[in-house]
Amino acid sequence: MPRDAALLILPGSKATLADLAFLRGEGWDIDLLAHHRQGGHILGLCGGYQILGRRIADPEGIEGPPGEAKGLGLLDIETVLGGDKRLGEIDGIEVASGQPVHGYEMHVGVTTGPGLARPMLRLDDRPDGAVSANGWVAGCYLHGLFAGDAFRHAFLARLGAEGNAGYDAGIEATLDALAEHLEQSLDLDALFAAARPVRINRAA
């Protein structure tokens, strides 16, 4: 784990308790806590957000064997997995900057705790996520958060960094370049011919 990183991101997970156990088994929890003590920022997304809390419980075995574990304790929240799965696209704003965000939610569970009094986002006029009192740690349930140019630039500016060019334009340029490279490097006609189903002459 780089010691000079301004921001560490904990991504989502389909097996939060198992991934938390793996993280601890590799000693990465020690690195994360040391990064935080040195003033580094940490952002958790979905399962990563849950890991940053004080406790995660999966009493029904939604993501694996039933169980619970202490989280990293960097956000004053707790999560109990279960209930209906929240799934869908959604719009909102980041509370700190007021910049628009867009993405999708895909998670189960209910998160509670005093940390929710400082939400990271407002999604469809409801709070989402949490931010630590010192502002160094934050988390939310929104996937695709950094695709929004205005939010990404504002977020990175607070870390003393600059955002790159427009996200959508960058994706399109990358896909166009990849398509051109494949067209020049592969015999596409032969590939398409090989992919056609074999016709069996049943009359023979």
Side-chain angles (χ1 to χ4, degrees):
M1 190 172 294
R3 293 181 180 273
D4 59 347
L7 172 70
L8 298 181
I9 298 177
L10 290 180
S13 168
K14 291 184 178 181
T16 308
L17 285 174
D19 285 346
L20 174 56
F22 177 82
L23 184 149
R24 284 199 165 106
E26 295 296 315
W28 294 342
D29 58 326
I30 298 171
D31 295 331
L32 282 162
L33 294 174
H35 172 81
H36 175 255
R37 284 195 303 272
Q38 294 163 6
H41 291 251
I42 302 174
L43 174 66
L45 302 175
C46 201
Y49 166 47
Q50 296 170 346
I51 286 173
L52 290 173
R54 299 192 179 281
R55 173 178 167 269
I56 306 167
D58 187 0
E60 301 175 15
I62 299 295
E63 296 185 345
E68 66 176 78
K70 290 183 178 180
L72 298 182
L74 296 177
L75 290 174
D76 196 4
I77 59 169
E78 296 188 355
T79 300
V80 177
L81 303 180
D84 295 332
K85 187 170 189 175
R86 186 182 290 274
L87 178 62
E89 289 190 64
I90 195 164
D91 295 292
I93 63 166
E94 185 202 19
V95 173
S97 66
Q99 296 295 340
V101 295
H102 174 79
Y104 64 95
E105 294 178 291
M106 184 175 62
H107 73 91
V108 294
V110 177
T111 298
T112 59
L116 300 182
R118 293 181 298 273
M120 179 181 176
L121 308 175
R122 293 202 67 83
L123 302 178
D124 282 353
D125 292 327
R126 61 175 169 80
D128 179 75
V131 179
S132 64
N134 61 14
W136 295 353
V137 183
C140 67
Y141 278 116
L142 188 66
H143 294 268
L145 183 67
F146 286 99
D149 294 337
F151 161 77
R152 188 177 64 256
H153 283 275
F155 186 91
L156 293 177
R158 295 200 298 269
L159 300 176
E162 294 183 4
N164 58 3
Y167 178 84
D168 290 335
I171 292 293
E172 288 299 321
T174 300
L175 291 176
D176 288 344
L178 178 60
E180 183 178 353
H181 175 73
L182 292 176
E183 188 173 1
Q184 293 175 356
S185 304
L186 300 175
D187 186 342
L188 295 180
D189 291 336
L191 283 175
F192 291 144
R196 294 191 189 100
V198 177
R199 294 186 178 182
I200 300 175
N201 187 354
R202 299 186 181 277

